[in-house]
Amino acid sequence: MDYQDIIKDWKQKKFKSLYWLEGEEDFFIDQVTNYAERHLLEESEKGFNLTILYGKETSWSAVINACRRYPMFAERQVVVLKEAQAMKDILKLEAYIDKPLDSTIFVVAHKQGKIDGRSKMAKLIKDRGVLLSTKKMYDNQLAAWVDAYVNSLGRAIAQKAGILLVDHIGNDLSRMANEIEKLLVNLPPDKKIDENDIEKYVGISKEYNVFELQNAIGQKDMGKVMRIIQYFAANPKAGPIQMVLPALYNFFSKMSQIFGVKGGEKEIAAALGVHPFFVKDYMAAARQYGMEGTEKAILLLHTYNLRSIGINDSGVEDGELMKELAYKIMN
């Protein structure tokens, strides 16, 4: 079950006694727990019927005792256990999970891991309640997620603006959501988020960023490449070498796969695991470099990555190191 499905059920007053939220992606887990805290009970009911516990600070027996209480002046009570992964003897919750109270909605946030799926408790969770198992999104899913998330808030975002966000923030959905919400607070209700908004409110230059550098190198546009690197040298936080080199390595590594793919853009996008929006850029760069040039770039990136951390390097500034690398890749 998706996290949005859980919230949709709750809005329709469809409740289970147990919601076990686990896995690698904190954002999805937080969305459910935050909704449980804020919306499952009326404000007048929360004082007596909302209990928030933390795994580091509570025991399994205290959790069970809280869950076994009956609601006061309300149809149900809500018990939220956060940081469940830090609680000792968590498997002892099995006794309650086996026989939960219908009048208690028990929400467990078990982040950064999962309980053993072969255990008796895992089977009980599936039988008695709802299991939400989360995982990190793949990079090629992020642009689509940004678009869908903005749409879920009743707004729209330009494709290039979404890509700028993804390129700058990476696979951190909580931070991504915060930046999107910050944007929406500052924009008129009917305004579509565009590149100018990203530059103004998030602080990502629409011209001088890793995505534009990658494309400029792919096109062998020496002038643009040097301008972007010069900007990075003057604004180290905009494009630190520790972020630029892995991005370029990923670009050329994916590009190298094109030479072994049969088919068109759709097949290449699937093989590379990238959003279809990027495929034409990869294909154009592959034509520019060929297999030999692509392999040369990958080797150079490996060498300069070592130099960037002080191996076989005499202390060249990051900006000069990137200029030297870009020149060698494109020639």
Side-chain angles (χ1 to χ4, degrees), residues 19 76-77 79 105 216 248 277:
Y19 295 87
R76 63 188 61 88
Q77 69 155 343
V79 177
I105 300 174
L248 292 178
F277 180 85

Side-chain angles (χ1 to χ4, degrees), residues 2-26:
D2 185 85
Y3 83 95
Q4 292 172 317
D5 293 329
I6 294 174
I7 293 173
K8 182 180 178 181
D9 279 353
W10 285 349
K11 288 180 177 179
Q12 296 174 354
K13 305 299 181 183
K14 297 176 182 177
F15 304 111
K16 296 284 188 179
S17 298
L18 170 69
Y19 295 87
W20 187 280
L21 322 171
E22 65 178 24
E24 302 168 348
E25 183 48 71
D26 293 354

Side-chain angles (χ1 to χ4, degrees), residues 3-4 27-28 31 137 141-166 169 173 175-185 187-194 197-198 202:
Y3 83 95
Q4 292 172 317
F27 175 79
F28 300 138
Q31 290 290 103
M137 299 189 75
Q141 298 174 309
L142 293 173
W145 181 86
V146 168
D147 189 58
Y149 184 72
V150 173
N151 289 341
S152 74
L153 299 174
R155 305 294 288 274
I157 184 168
Q159 191 170 46
K160 184 65 179 294
I163 289 167
L164 280 177
L165 271 179
V166 169
I169 296 173
L173 299 190
R175 184 181 167 204
M176 193 88 73
N178 287 338
E179 292 294 350
I180 289 169
E181 286 161 18
K182 182 171 71 176
L183 279 161
L184 297 182
V185 165
L187 296 176
D190 57 347
K191 174 72 169 64
K192 184 176 186 177
I193 302 170
D194 60 26
D197 302 322
I198 299 295
V202 183

